[in-house]
Amino acid sequence: MKLAVLTERRNGETRVAATPETVKKYIGMGLEVAVEAGAGLASGFTDAAYAEAGAILAPNAAAALAGANIILKVRAPLGTGEGAVDELSLIPRGALLIGTLGADAAAAGTYAGLGLDACSMELAPRITRAQSMDVLSSQANLAGYRAVIEGAGAYDKGFPMMMTAAGTVPAANAFIMGAGVAGLQAIATARRLGGRVSATDVRPAAKEEIKSLGASFVGYEDEESKAAQTAGGYAKQLSAEFYAKQAEVVAAHIAKQDVVVCTALVQGRKAPTLVTAAMVAAMKPGSVIVDIASDAGGNCALTKPGELFVTENGVKILGYTNWAGRLPAAASALYARNLLTFLSTFWDKDAKAPKLPEDDDIVKGVTLTRGGAVVHPSMKPAA
């Protein structure tokens, strides 16, 4: 059975879906592994390292995919007109495609039409068994860390308090918006750098988590916020009235901040706007806003996805996309282990092939298509 690892061709994608470490383990499971030449270079993994691990180096995508039974990707494969290589047309019918596919109903329908069994790993349920396969958490951890590091780099004063013979430099005031995985890592990182850290989140459980990391909690609380968390641990979309009241509390606080890190995302939707243009206008020159949610439009009204933008009043807004990909070696290593854990968990050692039980909660959560049909409940309109 052949497993293929492709070079990621989407703009700004620096990660790779398998590392030499995981390649070696796939081969130990009985798989033949083909890695497209150059697939790991952006993450610091050379072709020689893959060859040493036992992979076959393929000169291009077509060679890597020829006869492949399993395809590992970071992002969804390119289709007709999306790039120089139509990856989808090269994938053999009946193959198992695994990645963070970001699929909608139309994309799921395309996979079904091509006869692919597609698994979109960002849909994995938030249950204990799936923690080591949770690509969102592994990548969000790194994104939260990187956001604070880049925010500190863009801030034109020191992050910690520094007492010198020439005077004292006060500690930076850092405000983290959203206390999910990325936000909690951002809080911890800002604290380690010596900042005075505060944070906000609409979920009631987040208040104690924020305080446990040594940050102060800022936010509006009412009856609606008590039910602001899904069963999977994500923040729910709340009413416009709640966000208006939350904005009043945040507006007064944000004007005093030096570095603001926005991390609030709602699964499958545009990111909510938490920092308005008026809030930005009230901030001090030299302040920095780091918007991790820029991939989904951004939490700041003035964010320009993919860019660093300086406002008229001198506030720097870092709207870079693919924040985890700004640490490509670490992000690829964690992502590759997530995929390895998924495959090895559902691996038939005797048949040396994947076995994905249809009644398993994890399998049901991530499987978009099977046997030429759309099977995921939220994607079925495309069937």
Side-chain angles (χ1 to χ4, degrees):
M1 179 161 280
K2 180 179 177 181
L3 180 148
V5 180
L6 300 186
T7 298
E8 296 295 323
R9 292 178 168 80
R10 292 188 181 273
N11 289 337
E13 188 51 74
T14 57
R15 296 168 292 176
V16 64
T19 63
E21 174 201 11
T22 62
V23 163
K24 195 176 293 185
K25 291 181 178 177
Y26 286 129
I27 292 171
M29 291 161 58
L31 283 160
E32 173 190 318
V33 180
V35 177
E36 184 180 355
L41 290 179
S43 297
F45 303 113
T46 64
D47 289 347
Y50 284 108
E52 188 177 337
I56 298 166
L57 290 175
N60 50 46
L65 290 169
N69 308 96
I70 304 169
I71 295 93
L72 301 186
K73 289 278 290 156
V74 176
R75 306 266 301 280
L78 296 171
T80 306
E82 290 185 291
V85 178
D86 182 356
E87 296 169 327
L88 274 175
S89 68
L90 298 172
I91 299 176
R93 192 172 187 89
L96 173 62
L97 171 65
I98 305 172
T100 48
L101 305 179
D104 54 17
T110 298
Y111 296 143
L114 292 171
L116 306 182
D117 289 356
C119 292
S120 200
M121 294 303 296
E122 74 275 17
L123 300 177
R126 283 285 177 90
I127 57 177
T128 303
R129 285 178 57 233
Q131 283 182 344
S132 55
M133 312 172 197
D134 189 347
V135 297
L136 291 182
S137 290
S138 73
Q139 303 304 288
N141 246 313
L142 295 172
Y145 165 79
R146 184 70 185 196
V148 174
I149 297 300
E150 299 224 18
Y155 182 52
D156 56 14
K157 298 177 185 176
F159 220 85
M161 182 177 75
M162 291 183 280
M163 300 177 72
T164 75
T168 299
V169 177
N173 292 311
F175 182 42
I176 316 301
M177 304 190 74
V181 174
L184 293 174
Q185 182 59 250
I187 291 169
T189 303
R191 288 273 296 160
R192 285 193 292 266
L193 289 178
R196 287 194 296 259
V197 186
S198 57
T200 188
D201 195 289
V202 297
R203 294 167 300 157
K207 183 176 181 178
E208 294 308 314
E209 292 176 325
I210 288 168
K211 289 183 174 181
S212 72
L213 289 172
S216 58
F217 175 78
V218 175
Y220 174 78
E221 298 173 271
D222 65 3
E223 288 301 314
E224 186 179 3
S225 67
K226 290 178 182 178
Q229 183 168 312
T230 67
Y234 297 102
K236 283 183 179 179
Q237 183 81 23
L238 300 178
S239 68
E241 292 76 13
F242 175 86
Y243 284 123
K245 290 171 182 174
Q246 171 80 345
E248 289 178 19
V249 175
V250 168
H253 185 72
I254 211 168
K256 305 168 190 174
Q257 302 307 301
D258 300 306
V259 177
V260 175
V261 179
C262 303
T263 74
L265 286 166
V266 178
Q267 279 283 84
R269 297 192 183 188
K270 182 185 180 302
T273 300
L274 304 181
V275 181
T276 65
M279 292 178 191
V280 177
M283 294 178 73
K284 298 170 288 187
S287 301
V288 179
I289 296 173
V290 186
D291 200 339
I292 297 181
S294 52
D295 285 289
N299 292 144
C300 176
L302 300 183
T303 292
K304 295 186 177 182
E307 299 180 27
L308 186 161
F309 170 62
V310 182
T311 66
E312 290 183 5
N313 62 318
V315 177
K316 298 175 186 175
I317 303 176
L318 279 58
Y320 307 136
T321 52
N322 190 17
W323 280 91
R326 298 179 77 80
L327 287 166
S332 295
L334 296 185
Y335 181 81
R337 287 177 202 147
N338 290 146
L339 299 196
L340 172 65
T341 302
F342 175 72
L343 260 182
S344 60
T345 298
F346 299 105
W347 189 253
D348 187 324
K349 293 180 181 178
D350 295 326
K352 293 186 178 179
K355 184 178 182 181
L356 303 176
E358 294 182 32
D359 59 347
D360 184 274
D361 288 340
I362 298 173
V363 174
K364 283 193 292 186
V366 302
T367 304
L368 303 178
T369 59
R370 186 196 290 267
V374 177
V375 296
H376 199 280
S378 65
M379 307 289 173
K380 281 188 176 179

